[in-house]
Amino acid sequence: MCRRLEDREVEILRAALASNRFYHVYKSTSIPLATVWRILRRLAERGYLEYHNGRVRITESGLILLALHDDVALRILARKYGVSADVMREYLELVCRRLGEADLPVRSLADTVGLIGVGALRELRGTPVEGLAVDLLFQFCRDCVVEVDGSALILGGGGIVAARCKLCGDGCKKLYPECPHAKVFFRSLKTRFLRATKSSHNADKKT
């Protein structure tokens, strides 16, 4: 996803961002029709565009790639995730430092967490990008989320990997937090686990 785009690819992706009609995409570039068609098909094969019945749609994968080359795309991607363009740029730069120019497919920004590894997010602790990283981690690991008393956690390695902590204030999002409320969370989890185990044991007795 971090590969360097050719100038003509950037031009076509920009045009597709502005219009979903192939003819308009072609007319808004300075590229010959046959070349536009060839490049568009190549971008579609790589998952950056979708084309059907004369209509073109840039995918999130294409938007991410274009955001590395174009400020308009960067702002659109940032708005989609509720962050500033600077925060989005910093996150994408981290991803590309980790991946180099490997042309690895992603369907959404959350997929980048799987590509770079959860541990790579540790360096974003205490930075303006931390909140975005937490949101992406929760999307990527949604099946791993544990909810306790209004807070949500992702646990791993004997501790908390990411938290949306109600006790620390609404909107509090932390990576690898040194949480003063950790004992409260784990005590609550233990209580719930013991209750569930007891209920299961009693149900087995009845049967």
Side-chain angles (χ1 to χ4, degrees):
M1 59 156 276
C2 295
R3 75 181 186 87
R4 188 175 299 280
L5 286 171
E6 299 173 4
D7 290 343
R8 292 183 300 182
E9 290 176 321
V10 172
E11 194 173 352
I12 289 171
L13 285 171
R14 279 175 176 158
L17 199 58
S19 174
N20 65 354
R21 293 184 177 276
F22 172 76
Y23 181 75
H24 292 165
V25 170
Y26 156 62
K27 291 298 288 184
S28 62
T29 71
S30 57
I31 307 170
L33 177 60
T35 305
V36 170
W37 174 242
R38 186 174 66 252
I39 293 173
L40 188 146
R41 287 187 62 184
R42 184 171 71 227
L43 291 170
E45 287 170 359
R46 291 174 175 169
Y48 300 127
L49 289 173
E50 291 178 354
Y51 176 78
H52 183 67
N53 290 339
R55 292 188 176 272
V56 179
R57 187 183 76 86
I58 187 168
T59 63
E60 180 156 337
S61 179
L63 183 62
I64 293 168
L65 184 62
L66 184 59
L68 295 166
H69 302 78
D70 180 81
D71 286 343
V72 173
L74 179 67
R75 288 194 294 271
I76 291 172
L77 185 63
R79 281 199 303 270
K80 181 174 182 178
Y81 285 89
V83 298
S84 70
D86 287 340
V87 164
M88 183 59 69
R89 181 183 291 108
E90 189 173 339
Y91 179 75
L92 293 177
E93 287 174 352
L94 166 72
V95 172
C96 290
R97 283 198 305 272
R98 292 280 177 166
L99 298 181
E101 292 192 9
D103 192 12
L104 300 173
V106 294
R107 287 176 295 180
S108 71
L109 197 61
D111 290 344
T112 60
V113 174
L115 293 178
I116 65 175
V118 173
L121 300 180
R122 187 183 290 272
E123 67 183 81
L124 298 177
R125 286 180 63 193
T127 73
V129 190
E130 185 172 21
L132 173 62
V134 169
D135 286 340
L136 295 177
L137 187 53
F138 269 82
Q139 289 179 40
F140 182 74
C141 299
R142 54 184 172 272
D143 293 335
C144 311
V145 175
V146 177
E147 295 187 1
V148 182
D149 300 329
S151 294
L153 313 168
I154 294 177
L155 307 178
I160 302 172
V161 175
R164 289 171 173 163
C165 183
K166 182 180 179 181
L167 295 177
C168 298
D170 291 338
C172 180
K173 302 172 184 178
K174 296 291 183 182
L175 289 168
Y176 297 94
E178 297 172 358
C179 180
H181 306 293
K183 289 183 179 179
V184 176
F185 288 131
F186 286 111
R187 191 183 306 123
S188 180
L189 281 174
K190 182 178 179 181
T191 301
R192 293 185 183 197
F193 175 76
L194 291 174
R195 284 176 182 169
T197 303
K198 185 176 180 180
S199 297
S200 177
H201 181 67
N202 290 338
D204 289 342
K205 277 187 174 181
K206 290 179 181 179
T207 57

